[in-house]
Short mmCIF file of all heavy atoms in Angstrom, two decimals:
data_model
loop_
_atom_site.label_atom_id
_atom_site.label_comp_id
_atom_site.label_asym_id
_atom_site.label_seq_id
_atom_site.Cartn_x
_atom_site.Cartn_y
_atom_site.Cartn_z
N LEU A 737 -2.08 -5.72 -1.22
CA LEU A 737 -2.91 -4.97 -0.29
C LEU A 737 -3.83 -4.05 -1.08
O LEU A 737 -3.39 -3.31 -1.95
CB LEU A 737 -2.01 -4.14 0.64
CG LEU A 737 -2.68 -3.29 1.71
CD1 LEU A 737 -3.46 -4.16 2.69
CD2 LEU A 737 -1.62 -2.47 2.46
N VAL A 738 -5.12 -4.09 -0.76
CA VAL A 738 -6.12 -3.23 -1.39
C VAL A 738 -6.83 -2.43 -0.31
O VAL A 738 -7.40 -3.01 0.62
CB VAL A 738 -7.15 -4.04 -2.19
CG1 VAL A 738 -8.18 -3.11 -2.84
CG2 VAL A 738 -6.47 -4.89 -3.26
N LEU A 739 -6.78 -1.11 -0.42
CA LEU A 739 -7.50 -0.23 0.50
C LEU A 739 -8.56 0.51 -0.29
O LEU A 739 -8.25 1.20 -1.26
CB LEU A 739 -6.56 0.79 1.15
CG LEU A 739 -5.34 0.25 1.91
CD1 LEU A 739 -4.55 1.40 2.52
CD2 LEU A 739 -5.75 -0.74 2.99
N GLU A 740 -9.82 0.37 0.11
CA GLU A 740 -10.91 1.05 -0.57
C GLU A 740 -11.61 2.00 0.40
O GLU A 740 -12.03 1.60 1.49
CB GLU A 740 -11.92 0.05 -1.13
CG GLU A 740 -13.06 0.72 -1.90
CD GLU A 740 -13.97 -0.25 -2.62
OE1 GLU A 740 -13.75 -1.47 -2.51
OE2 GLU A 740 -14.92 0.22 -3.29
N LYS A 741 -11.68 3.27 0.00
CA LYS A 741 -12.33 4.30 0.80
C LYS A 741 -11.75 4.35 2.22
O LYS A 741 -12.48 4.43 3.21
CB LYS A 741 -13.85 4.08 0.83
CG LYS A 741 -14.51 4.21 -0.54
CD LYS A 741 -16.01 4.03 -0.47
CE LYS A 741 -16.63 4.20 -1.86
NZ LYS A 741 -18.11 4.00 -1.83
N CYS A 742 -10.44 4.29 2.29
CA CYS A 742 -9.73 4.39 3.56
C CYS A 742 -8.95 5.70 3.59
O CYS A 742 -8.72 6.32 2.55
CB CYS A 742 -8.77 3.22 3.75
SG CYS A 742 -9.57 1.60 3.84
N SER A 743 -8.53 6.12 4.78
CA SER A 743 -7.72 7.33 4.89
C SER A 743 -6.83 7.28 6.12
O SER A 743 -7.13 6.58 7.09
CB SER A 743 -8.62 8.57 4.94
OG SER A 743 -9.40 8.60 6.12
N TRP A 744 -5.75 8.04 6.03
CA TRP A 744 -4.77 8.15 7.12
C TRP A 744 -4.29 6.78 7.57
O TRP A 744 -4.41 6.38 8.73
CB TRP A 744 -5.33 8.96 8.29
CG TRP A 744 -5.67 10.37 7.92
CD1 TRP A 744 -6.92 10.92 7.83
CD2 TRP A 744 -4.75 11.40 7.55
NE1 TRP A 744 -6.84 12.23 7.44
CE2 TRP A 744 -5.52 12.57 7.26
CE3 TRP A 744 -3.36 11.49 7.44
CZ2 TRP A 744 -4.94 13.77 6.86
CZ3 TRP A 744 -2.78 12.69 7.05
CH2 TRP A 744 -3.55 13.80 6.77
N ILE A 745 -3.73 6.07 6.58
CA ILE A 745 -3.12 4.75 6.81
C ILE A 745 -1.64 4.84 6.45
O ILE A 745 -1.30 5.41 5.41
CB ILE A 745 -3.79 3.66 5.95
CG1 ILE A 745 -5.32 3.68 6.10
CG2 ILE A 745 -3.21 2.29 6.27
CD1 ILE A 745 -5.85 3.19 7.40
N THR A 746 -0.78 4.28 7.27
CA THR A 746 0.65 4.24 7.00
C THR A 746 1.10 2.80 6.86
O THR A 746 0.77 1.95 7.70
CB THR A 746 1.45 4.93 8.13
OG1 THR A 746 1.11 6.31 8.18
CG2 THR A 746 2.95 4.80 7.89
N ILE A 747 1.86 2.52 5.80
CA ILE A 747 2.38 1.17 5.52
C ILE A 747 3.90 1.30 5.43
O ILE A 747 4.41 2.07 4.62
CB ILE A 747 1.82 0.63 4.20
CG1 ILE A 747 0.28 0.64 4.24
CG2 ILE A 747 2.35 -0.76 3.91
CD1 ILE A 747 -0.35 0.71 2.87
N GLU A 748 4.63 0.54 6.25
CA GLU A 748 6.08 0.73 6.23
C GLU A 748 6.83 -0.55 6.60
O GLU A 748 6.31 -1.43 7.29
CB GLU A 748 6.48 1.87 7.17
CG GLU A 748 6.05 1.74 8.60
CD GLU A 748 6.30 3.00 9.41
OE1 GLU A 748 6.52 4.07 8.81
OE2 GLU A 748 6.26 2.92 10.65
N ASN A 749 8.06 -0.62 6.06
CA ASN A 749 8.99 -1.70 6.39
C ASN A 749 8.43 -3.08 6.06
O ASN A 749 8.53 -4.02 6.87
CB ASN A 749 9.38 -1.65 7.88
CG ASN A 749 10.18 -0.43 8.25
OD1 ASN A 749 10.30 0.50 7.46
ND2 ASN A 749 10.72 -0.40 9.45
N ILE A 750 7.86 -3.22 4.87
CA ILE A 750 7.30 -4.50 4.44
C ILE A 750 7.86 -4.85 3.06
O ILE A 750 8.03 -3.97 2.22
CB ILE A 750 5.76 -4.45 4.40
CG1 ILE A 750 5.18 -4.20 5.80
CG2 ILE A 750 5.18 -5.75 3.82
CD1 ILE A 750 3.69 -3.98 5.81
N ILE A 751 8.13 -6.11 2.83
CA ILE A 751 8.56 -6.61 1.53
C ILE A 751 7.32 -7.19 0.81
O ILE A 751 6.57 -7.97 1.40
CB ILE A 751 9.64 -7.69 1.66
CG1 ILE A 751 10.91 -7.10 2.29
CG2 ILE A 751 9.96 -8.32 0.30
CD1 ILE A 751 11.94 -8.15 2.66
N PHE A 752 7.13 -6.80 -0.43
CA PHE A 752 6.02 -7.32 -1.24
C PHE A 752 6.60 -8.14 -2.40
O PHE A 752 7.45 -7.65 -3.15
CB PHE A 752 5.18 -6.18 -1.80
CG PHE A 752 4.37 -5.44 -0.76
CD1 PHE A 752 4.93 -4.39 -0.04
CD2 PHE A 752 3.05 -5.80 -0.50
CE1 PHE A 752 4.17 -3.70 0.90
CE2 PHE A 752 2.30 -5.12 0.45
CZ PHE A 752 2.86 -4.07 1.16
N ARG A 753 6.10 -9.35 -2.57
CA ARG A 753 6.56 -10.24 -3.64
C ARG A 753 5.38 -10.84 -4.39
O ARG A 753 4.32 -11.07 -3.81
CB ARG A 753 7.41 -11.38 -3.07
CG ARG A 753 8.74 -10.95 -2.46
CD ARG A 753 9.48 -12.14 -1.91
NE ARG A 753 10.76 -11.76 -1.34
CZ ARG A 753 11.50 -12.54 -0.57
NH1 ARG A 753 11.08 -13.78 -0.29
NH2 ARG A 753 12.65 -12.12 -0.08
N ARG A 754 5.60 -11.11 -5.67
CA ARG A 754 4.65 -11.83 -6.53
C ARG A 754 3.24 -11.28 -6.44
O ARG A 754 2.27 -12.02 -6.32
CB ARG A 754 4.69 -13.33 -6.21
CG ARG A 754 6.02 -13.97 -6.52
CD ARG A 754 5.95 -15.48 -6.46
NE ARG A 754 5.75 -15.98 -5.11
CZ ARG A 754 5.65 -17.28 -4.79
NH1 ARG A 754 5.72 -18.20 -5.75
NH2 ARG A 754 5.47 -17.65 -3.54
N CYS A 755 3.14 -9.95 -6.50
CA CYS A 755 1.85 -9.26 -6.50
C CYS A 755 1.59 -8.71 -7.90
O CYS A 755 2.40 -7.94 -8.40
CB CYS A 755 1.84 -8.13 -5.48
SG CYS A 755 2.23 -8.62 -3.79
N TRP A 756 0.47 -9.09 -8.51
CA TRP A 756 0.17 -8.67 -9.88
C TRP A 756 -1.33 -8.45 -10.06
O TRP A 756 -2.11 -9.16 -9.46
CB TRP A 756 0.63 -9.74 -10.88
CG TRP A 756 2.10 -9.94 -10.88
CD1 TRP A 756 2.81 -10.87 -10.17
CD2 TRP A 756 3.06 -9.19 -11.61
NE1 TRP A 756 4.14 -10.76 -10.42
CE2 TRP A 756 4.33 -9.73 -11.30
CE3 TRP A 756 2.98 -8.12 -12.51
CZ2 TRP A 756 5.50 -9.22 -11.86
CZ3 TRP A 756 4.14 -7.63 -13.06
CH2 TRP A 756 5.39 -8.17 -12.73
N PRO A 757 -1.70 -7.52 -10.96
CA PRO A 757 -0.84 -6.57 -11.67
C PRO A 757 -0.46 -5.37 -10.82
O PRO A 757 0.46 -4.65 -11.16
CB PRO A 757 -1.70 -6.15 -12.86
CG PRO A 757 -3.10 -6.24 -12.32
CD PRO A 757 -3.10 -7.43 -11.39
N SER A 758 -1.19 -5.15 -9.70
CA SER A 758 -0.84 -4.07 -8.78
C SER A 758 -0.30 -4.67 -7.49
O SER A 758 -0.54 -5.84 -7.19
CB SER A 758 -2.07 -3.21 -8.48
OG SER A 758 -2.69 -2.77 -9.67
N VAL A 759 0.41 -3.86 -6.73
CA VAL A 759 0.92 -4.33 -5.44
C VAL A 759 0.09 -3.72 -4.32
O VAL A 759 -0.55 -4.42 -3.55
CB VAL A 759 2.41 -3.99 -5.27
CG1 VAL A 759 2.91 -4.52 -3.93
CG2 VAL A 759 3.23 -4.58 -6.41
N VAL A 760 0.08 -2.39 -4.24
CA VAL A 760 -0.76 -1.68 -3.27
C VAL A 760 -1.78 -0.88 -4.08
O VAL A 760 -1.44 0.10 -4.72
CB VAL A 760 0.06 -0.75 -2.37
CG1 VAL A 760 -0.85 -0.03 -1.38
CG2 VAL A 760 1.14 -1.54 -1.63
N HIS A 761 -3.03 -1.31 -4.05
CA HIS A 761 -4.09 -0.69 -4.83
C HIS A 761 -4.93 0.18 -3.90
O HIS A 761 -5.51 -0.32 -2.93
CB HIS A 761 -4.96 -1.76 -5.49
CG HIS A 761 -5.92 -1.23 -6.50
ND1 HIS A 761 -6.78 -2.03 -7.22
CD2 HIS A 761 -6.19 0.05 -6.92
CE1 HIS A 761 -7.51 -1.30 -8.03
NE2 HIS A 761 -7.18 -0.02 -7.86
N LEU A 762 -4.99 1.47 -4.19
CA LEU A 762 -5.67 2.43 -3.33
C LEU A 762 -6.89 2.96 -4.08
O LEU A 762 -6.79 3.86 -4.91
CB LEU A 762 -4.72 3.57 -2.96
CG LEU A 762 -3.39 3.11 -2.34
CD1 LEU A 762 -2.45 4.28 -2.17
CD2 LEU A 762 -3.63 2.40 -1.01
N ILE A 763 -8.06 2.40 -3.79
CA ILE A 763 -9.29 2.75 -4.48
C ILE A 763 -9.99 3.85 -3.69
O ILE A 763 -10.47 3.64 -2.57
CB ILE A 763 -10.21 1.52 -4.61
CG1 ILE A 763 -9.48 0.36 -5.29
CG2 ILE A 763 -11.47 1.88 -5.37
CD1 ILE A 763 -10.24 -0.96 -5.22
N ASN A 764 -10.02 5.04 -4.26
CA ASN A 764 -10.66 6.18 -3.60
C ASN A 764 -10.21 6.32 -2.14
O ASN A 764 -11.00 6.64 -1.25
CB ASN A 764 -12.18 6.07 -3.68
CG ASN A 764 -12.69 6.36 -5.07
OD1 ASN A 764 -12.29 7.33 -5.71
ND2 ASN A 764 -13.59 5.52 -5.57
N SER A 765 -8.93 6.07 -1.91
CA SER A 765 -8.35 6.22 -0.58
C SER A 765 -7.40 7.41 -0.57
O SER A 765 -6.78 7.75 -1.58
CB SER A 765 -7.61 4.95 -0.17
OG SER A 765 -8.53 3.89 0.02
N SER A 766 -7.27 8.04 0.59
CA SER A 766 -6.50 9.28 0.67
C SER A 766 -5.61 9.30 1.90
O SER A 766 -5.85 8.57 2.87
CB SER A 766 -7.46 10.48 0.71
OG SER A 766 -8.32 10.39 1.83
N TYR A 767 -4.59 10.14 1.82
CA TYR A 767 -3.64 10.30 2.93
C TYR A 767 -3.06 8.96 3.36
O TYR A 767 -3.06 8.61 4.54
CB TYR A 767 -4.30 11.04 4.10
CG TYR A 767 -4.85 12.38 3.71
CD1 TYR A 767 -6.23 12.58 3.61
CD2 TYR A 767 -4.00 13.44 3.39
CE1 TYR A 767 -6.75 13.81 3.21
CE2 TYR A 767 -4.50 14.68 2.99
CZ TYR A 767 -5.88 14.85 2.91
OH TYR A 767 -6.38 16.06 2.51
N VAL A 768 -2.58 8.23 2.36
CA VAL A 768 -1.93 6.94 2.60
C VAL A 768 -0.43 7.13 2.39
O VAL A 768 0.00 7.64 1.36
CB VAL A 768 -2.46 5.85 1.65
CG1 VAL A 768 -1.72 4.54 1.88
CG2 VAL A 768 -3.96 5.67 1.86
N SER A 769 0.37 6.72 3.38
CA SER A 769 1.83 6.83 3.30
C SER A 769 2.43 5.44 3.20
O SER A 769 2.10 4.56 3.99
CB SER A 769 2.38 7.54 4.55
OG SER A 769 1.89 8.87 4.64
N ILE A 770 3.33 5.27 2.22
CA ILE A 770 4.01 3.99 2.02
C ILE A 770 5.50 4.28 2.12
O ILE A 770 6.07 4.96 1.28
CB ILE A 770 3.65 3.39 0.65
CG1 ILE A 770 2.13 3.19 0.58
CG2 ILE A 770 4.39 2.09 0.41
CD1 ILE A 770 1.60 2.97 -0.81
N ARG A 771 6.12 3.77 3.17
CA ARG A 771 7.50 4.13 3.48
C ARG A 771 8.37 2.89 3.66
O ARG A 771 7.95 1.91 4.26
CB ARG A 771 7.56 4.95 4.77
CG ARG A 771 6.85 6.29 4.75
CD ARG A 771 7.21 7.07 6.00
NE ARG A 771 6.63 8.40 6.00
CZ ARG A 771 5.57 8.76 6.73
NH1 ARG A 771 4.97 7.87 7.50
NH2 ARG A 771 5.11 9.99 6.69
N GLN A 772 9.57 2.97 3.12
CA GLN A 772 10.61 1.97 3.36
C GLN A 772 10.15 0.55 3.07
O GLN A 772 10.54 -0.40 3.74
CB GLN A 772 11.13 2.09 4.81
CG GLN A 772 11.81 3.40 5.08
CD GLN A 772 12.19 3.60 6.53
OE1 GLN A 772 12.46 4.72 6.95
NE2 GLN A 772 12.24 2.55 7.32
N CYS A 773 9.31 0.41 2.06
CA CYS A 773 8.89 -0.91 1.61
C CYS A 773 9.76 -1.35 0.43
O CYS A 773 10.31 -0.52 -0.30
CB CYS A 773 7.42 -0.90 1.20
SG CYS A 773 6.29 -0.69 2.61
N HIS A 774 9.86 -2.67 0.24
CA HIS A 774 10.66 -3.24 -0.84
C HIS A 774 9.72 -4.00 -1.79
O HIS A 774 8.86 -4.76 -1.34
CB HIS A 774 11.70 -4.21 -0.29
CG HIS A 774 12.75 -3.55 0.55
ND1 HIS A 774 13.91 -4.19 0.94
CD2 HIS A 774 12.84 -2.29 1.08
CE1 HIS A 774 14.65 -3.38 1.67
NE2 HIS A 774 14.02 -2.23 1.77
N PHE A 775 9.92 -3.77 -3.09
CA PHE A 775 9.04 -4.38 -4.10
C PHE A 775 9.88 -5.08 -5.16
O PHE A 775 10.88 -4.53 -5.63
CB PHE A 775 8.19 -3.30 -4.78
CG PHE A 775 7.36 -2.47 -3.84
CD1 PHE A 775 7.81 -1.22 -3.43
CD2 PHE A 775 6.13 -2.91 -3.38
CE1 PHE A 775 7.04 -0.43 -2.58
CE2 PHE A 775 5.36 -2.14 -2.53
CZ PHE A 775 5.81 -0.89 -2.12
#
């Protein structure tokens, strides 16, 4: 998942697999919450 110039986004209860080199890439994004995810 890539978020660019986003804000006030919540990501939760998701399993992420085989993501390289980053999993959740936040480009100039703010107030992003990542909760209860499995990597």
Side-chain angles (χ1 to χ4, degrees):
L737 181 62
V738 180
L739 304 182
E740 182 173 1
K741 296 182 179 179
C742 297
S743 66
W744 298 111
I745 309 288
T746 296
I747 304 155
E748 56 189 17
N749 294 10
I750 297 173
I751 296 171
F752 290 86
R753 293 179 179 167
R754 295 191 292 179
C755 304
W756 296 95
S758 307
V759 181
V760 180
H761 190 179
L762 306 173
I763 305 169
N764 286 315
S765 292
S766 59
Y767 303 108
V768 177
S769 297
I770 301 164
R771 297 190 176 104
Q772 296 174 197
C773 291
H774 294 192
F775 304 98

